[in-house]
Amino acid sequence: METVWRLVSLTAPTVRLFSGLTDYRNALKTTKMEEKALEVYDVIRSIRDPEKPNTLEELDVVTESCVEVRELGEEEYLIIIKFSPTVPHCSLATLIGLCLQVKLQRCLPFKHKLTNRSTIRSEWPQPWKTPT
C-alpha cells in the first residue's frame, strides 16, 4: 500500500501538468495577485506629498508597476512597494514610507505584511558614472 501511495504522489503533479490544471491555477493566482496589487495602488495613489500640494501619483513617486503582491498563506499577502522620491537626496523618503504603511493598515480589508523601498530613478544624474 505504501508503494502505491508513493507512485501516486510522484505521478500526480505530472498528470496535472500535462492536463493543463496547473497552468489554469497559476493563471488564476496571477490574476488574483494583479487585482490585489491594483487594489493597493488605488489606496496609496491619493496620498499627498509632505512638501508639495500634489499626490504621490501626480508626482510619479508611485506607479501601478511599483506595487507587487505575493501570497504568503491563506488570505495573507506580502505587499512590496518600490517608490521613487522626487529628488535623490529626499529627506522625507522615510516619512513617505511611513505614510504608505499607515494608509494601508487603515484601508486594506485583507491581512498583509508590507515592505516598502525607496528606489533611484533612472533619469537622475549619477555622479559616480562618467559620461561616455
Side-chain angles (χ1 to χ4, degrees):
M1 184 66 175
E2 188 175 328
T3 308
V4 172
W5 179 250
R6 281 189 205 157
L7 286 173
V8 169
S9 66
L10 290 174
T11 57
T14 308
V15 170
R16 276 186 290 169
L17 179 66
F18 289 122
S19 67
L21 289 175
T22 303
D23 292 337
Y24 179 70
R25 287 183 184 160
N26 287 341
L28 282 178
K29 188 175 181 180
T30 302
T31 304
K32 185 178 178 182
M33 295 302 108
E34 288 172 356
E35 288 173 2
K36 293 286 184 191
L38 210 56
E39 185 178 348
V40 169
Y41 178 70
D42 284 340
V43 169
I44 65 172
R45 70 189 215 177
S46 62
I47 297 174
R48 297 238 170 243
D49 186 83
E51 292 181 316
K52 299 179 171 111
N54 303 11
T55 65
L56 296 181
E57 179 186 37
E58 293 168 346
L59 295 170
D60 232 9
V61 174
V62 293
T63 59
E64 283 185 36
S65 62
C66 75
V67 178
E68 181 184 346
V69 177
R70 297 180 188 163
E71 192 168 22
L72 292 176
E74 187 71 28
E75 292 299 316
E76 186 176 4
Y77 302 94
L78 172 65
I79 301 170
I80 302 168
I81 301 174
K82 297 176 186 169
F83 65 95
S84 301
T86 53
V87 292
H89 55 278
C90 180
S91 61
L92 296 175
T94 54
L95 182 59
I96 292 171
L98 184 61
C99 289
L100 292 169
Q101 183 174 357
V102 170
K103 181 84 171 194
L104 290 176
Q105 283 177 345
R106 291 181 180 172
C107 297
L108 285 183
F110 53 87
K111 190 174 177 182
H112 65 278
K113 293 182 181 182
L114 175 67
T115 300
N116 54 17
R117 297 184 181 116
S118 176
T119 61
I120 296 176
R121 295 185 187 196
S122 59
E123 67 266 13
W124 286 341
Q126 298 171 349
W128 59 86
K129 290 190 175 179
T130 56
T132 54

Short mmCIF file of all heavy atoms in Angstrom, two decimals, residues 75-99:
data_model
loop_
_atom_site.label_atom_id
_atom_site.label_comp_id
_atom_site.label_asym_id
_atom_site.label_seq_id
_atom_site.Cartn_x
_atom_site.Cartn_y
_atom_site.Cartn_z
N GLU A 75 -5.25 33.74 2.61
CA GLU A 75 -5.71 35.12 2.81
C GLU A 75 -4.69 36.00 3.55
O GLU A 75 -5.05 36.86 4.33
CB GLU A 75 -7.06 35.14 3.54
CG GLU A 75 -8.20 34.60 2.71
CD GLU A 75 -8.46 35.38 1.43
OE1 GLU A 75 -8.46 36.61 1.47
OE2 GLU A 75 -8.63 34.72 0.39
N GLU A 76 -3.41 35.74 3.33
CA GLU A 76 -2.35 36.57 3.89
C GLU A 76 -1.38 36.90 2.75
O GLU A 76 -0.97 36.01 2.01
CB GLU A 76 -1.61 35.86 5.02
CG GLU A 76 -0.60 36.73 5.70
CD GLU A 76 0.06 36.03 6.88
OE1 GLU A 76 -0.21 34.86 7.13
OE2 GLU A 76 0.86 36.70 7.54
N TYR A 77 -1.02 38.19 2.62
CA TYR A 77 -0.26 38.62 1.47
C TYR A 77 0.94 39.47 1.88
O TYR A 77 0.91 40.14 2.91
CB TYR A 77 -1.16 39.45 0.54
CG TYR A 77 -2.37 38.68 0.07
CD1 TYR A 77 -3.57 38.79 0.75
CD2 TYR A 77 -2.30 37.85 -1.03
CE1 TYR A 77 -4.67 38.06 0.34
CE2 TYR A 77 -3.39 37.12 -1.45
CZ TYR A 77 -4.58 37.23 -0.76
OH TYR A 77 -5.67 36.51 -1.16
N LEU A 78 1.97 39.44 1.04
CA LEU A 78 3.13 40.31 1.19
C LEU A 78 3.01 41.39 0.13
O LEU A 78 2.88 41.09 -1.06
CB LEU A 78 4.43 39.53 0.99
CG LEU A 78 5.71 40.36 0.94
CD1 LEU A 78 5.97 41.04 2.28
CD2 LEU A 78 6.89 39.50 0.53
N ILE A 79 3.03 42.65 0.56
CA ILE A 79 2.93 43.78 -0.36
C ILE A 79 4.31 44.43 -0.45
O ILE A 79 4.89 44.79 0.55
CB ILE A 79 1.90 44.81 0.14
CG1 ILE A 79 0.54 44.16 0.27
CG2 ILE A 79 1.86 46.01 -0.78
CD1 ILE A 79 -0.49 45.02 0.98
N ILE A 80 4.81 44.56 -1.68
CA ILE A 80 6.10 45.20 -1.92
C ILE A 80 5.85 46.46 -2.73
O ILE A 80 5.29 46.39 -3.82
CB ILE A 80 7.06 44.27 -2.68
CG1 ILE A 80 7.26 42.98 -1.89
CG2 ILE A 80 8.39 44.97 -2.96
CD1 ILE A 80 7.95 41.88 -2.67
N ILE A 81 6.24 47.61 -2.18
CA ILE A 81 6.08 48.89 -2.86
C ILE A 81 7.46 49.50 -3.05
O ILE A 81 8.18 49.72 -2.08
CB ILE A 81 5.18 49.85 -2.06
CG1 ILE A 81 3.80 49.23 -1.85
CG2 ILE A 81 5.07 51.20 -2.77
CD1 ILE A 81 2.90 50.03 -0.94
N LYS A 82 7.80 49.79 -4.30
CA LYS A 82 9.07 50.45 -4.61
C LYS A 82 8.72 51.86 -5.09
O LYS A 82 8.21 52.03 -6.19
CB LYS A 82 9.81 49.68 -5.70
CG LYS A 82 10.21 48.30 -5.27
CD LYS A 82 10.85 47.54 -6.40
CE LYS A 82 11.10 46.11 -5.97
NZ LYS A 82 11.46 45.26 -7.08
N PHE A 83 8.95 52.83 -4.23
CA PHE A 83 8.60 54.21 -4.60
C PHE A 83 9.86 55.01 -4.90
O PHE A 83 10.94 54.72 -4.39
CB PHE A 83 7.75 54.88 -3.51
CG PHE A 83 8.45 55.08 -2.20
CD1 PHE A 83 9.07 56.29 -1.91
CD2 PHE A 83 8.47 54.10 -1.24
CE1 PHE A 83 9.70 56.50 -0.70
CE2 PHE A 83 9.10 54.29 -0.02
CZ PHE A 83 9.72 55.49 0.25
N SER A 84 9.72 56.01 -5.75
CA SER A 84 10.85 56.86 -6.16
C SER A 84 10.58 58.29 -5.75
O SER A 84 9.73 58.96 -6.34
CB SER A 84 11.02 56.81 -7.68
OG SER A 84 11.25 55.51 -8.11
N PRO A 85 11.28 58.81 -4.75
CA PRO A 85 11.11 60.21 -4.36
C PRO A 85 11.43 61.15 -5.52
O PRO A 85 12.08 60.77 -6.48
CB PRO A 85 12.10 60.39 -3.20
CG PRO A 85 12.36 59.02 -2.70
CD PRO A 85 12.24 58.12 -3.89
N THR A 86 11.00 62.39 -5.40
CA THR A 86 11.17 63.35 -6.50
C THR A 86 12.61 63.77 -6.71
O THR A 86 12.99 64.16 -7.80
CB THR A 86 10.30 64.59 -6.26
OG1 THR A 86 10.59 65.11 -4.96
CG2 THR A 86 8.84 64.26 -6.36
N VAL A 87 13.43 63.70 -5.67
CA VAL A 87 14.86 64.01 -5.78
C VAL A 87 15.65 62.90 -5.09
O VAL A 87 15.17 62.29 -4.15
CB VAL A 87 15.21 65.38 -5.14
CG1 VAL A 87 14.62 66.52 -5.93
CG2 VAL A 87 14.77 65.46 -3.70
N PRO A 88 16.89 62.64 -5.53
CA PRO A 88 17.64 61.52 -4.94
C PRO A 88 18.00 61.71 -3.48
O PRO A 88 18.13 60.75 -2.74
CB PRO A 88 18.90 61.43 -5.81
CG PRO A 88 18.97 62.69 -6.57
CD PRO A 88 17.60 63.29 -6.62
N HIS A 89 18.13 62.92 -3.02
CA HIS A 89 18.53 63.17 -1.63
C HIS A 89 17.32 63.57 -0.77
O HIS A 89 17.45 64.33 0.18
CB HIS A 89 19.59 64.27 -1.59
CG HIS A 89 19.15 65.53 -2.28
ND1 HIS A 89 19.23 65.66 -3.64
CD2 HIS A 89 18.59 66.68 -1.81
CE1 HIS A 89 18.76 66.86 -3.98
NE2 HIS A 89 18.37 67.49 -2.89
N CYS A 90 16.16 63.07 -1.10
CA CYS A 90 14.91 63.43 -0.41
C CYS A 90 14.99 63.07 1.08
O CYS A 90 15.18 61.91 1.43
CB CYS A 90 13.73 62.72 -1.06
SG CYS A 90 12.15 63.09 -0.29
N SER A 91 14.85 64.07 1.91
CA SER A 91 14.94 63.84 3.36
C SER A 91 13.64 63.29 3.93
O SER A 91 13.61 62.82 5.06
CB SER A 91 15.29 65.14 4.07
OG SER A 91 14.28 66.11 3.83
N LEU A 92 12.57 63.33 3.14
CA LEU A 92 11.27 62.87 3.63
C LEU A 92 10.89 61.49 3.09
O LEU A 92 9.74 61.08 3.19
CB LEU A 92 10.20 63.89 3.26
CG LEU A 92 10.38 65.25 3.93
CD1 LEU A 92 9.34 66.22 3.43
CD2 LEU A 92 10.31 65.13 5.44
N ALA A 93 11.85 60.74 2.53
CA ALA A 93 11.56 59.41 1.99
C ALA A 93 11.05 58.48 3.10
O ALA A 93 10.13 57.68 2.87
CB ALA A 93 12.79 58.82 1.32
N THR A 94 11.62 58.59 4.29
CA THR A 94 11.14 57.74 5.39
C THR A 94 9.73 58.11 5.80
O THR A 94 8.93 57.24 6.14
CB THR A 94 12.08 57.83 6.61
OG1 THR A 94 12.24 59.20 6.97
CG2 THR A 94 13.43 57.24 6.30
N LEU A 95 9.39 59.40 5.75
CA LEU A 95 8.04 59.84 6.07
C LEU A 95 7.04 59.33 5.02
O LEU A 95 5.93 58.91 5.36
CB LEU A 95 7.96 61.35 6.18
CG LEU A 95 6.61 61.93 6.57
CD1 LEU A 95 6.16 61.41 7.92
CD2 LEU A 95 6.67 63.45 6.59
N ILE A 96 7.44 59.34 3.76
CA ILE A 96 6.57 58.80 2.70
C ILE A 96 6.33 57.31 2.94
O ILE A 96 5.20 56.83 2.84
CB ILE A 96 7.19 59.05 1.31
CG1 ILE A 96 7.18 60.54 1.00
CG2 ILE A 96 6.44 58.28 0.23
CD1 ILE A 96 7.95 60.93 -0.25
N GLY A 97 7.39 56.57 3.28
CA GLY A 97 7.25 55.14 3.58
C GLY A 97 6.31 54.90 4.76
O GLY A 97 5.49 53.98 4.74
N LEU A 98 6.40 55.73 5.77
CA LEU A 98 5.52 55.61 6.93
C LEU A 98 4.08 55.93 6.56
O LEU A 98 3.15 55.24 7.00
CB LEU A 98 6.00 56.54 8.05
CG LEU A 98 5.24 56.46 9.37
CD1 LEU A 98 5.33 55.07 9.97
CD2 LEU A 98 5.76 57.49 10.34
N CYS A 99 3.88 56.95 5.72
CA CYS A 99 2.53 57.29 5.25
C CYS A 99 1.91 56.12 4.48
O CYS A 99 0.73 55.81 4.63
CB CYS A 99 2.56 58.53 4.36
SG CYS A 99 2.89 60.05 5.24
#
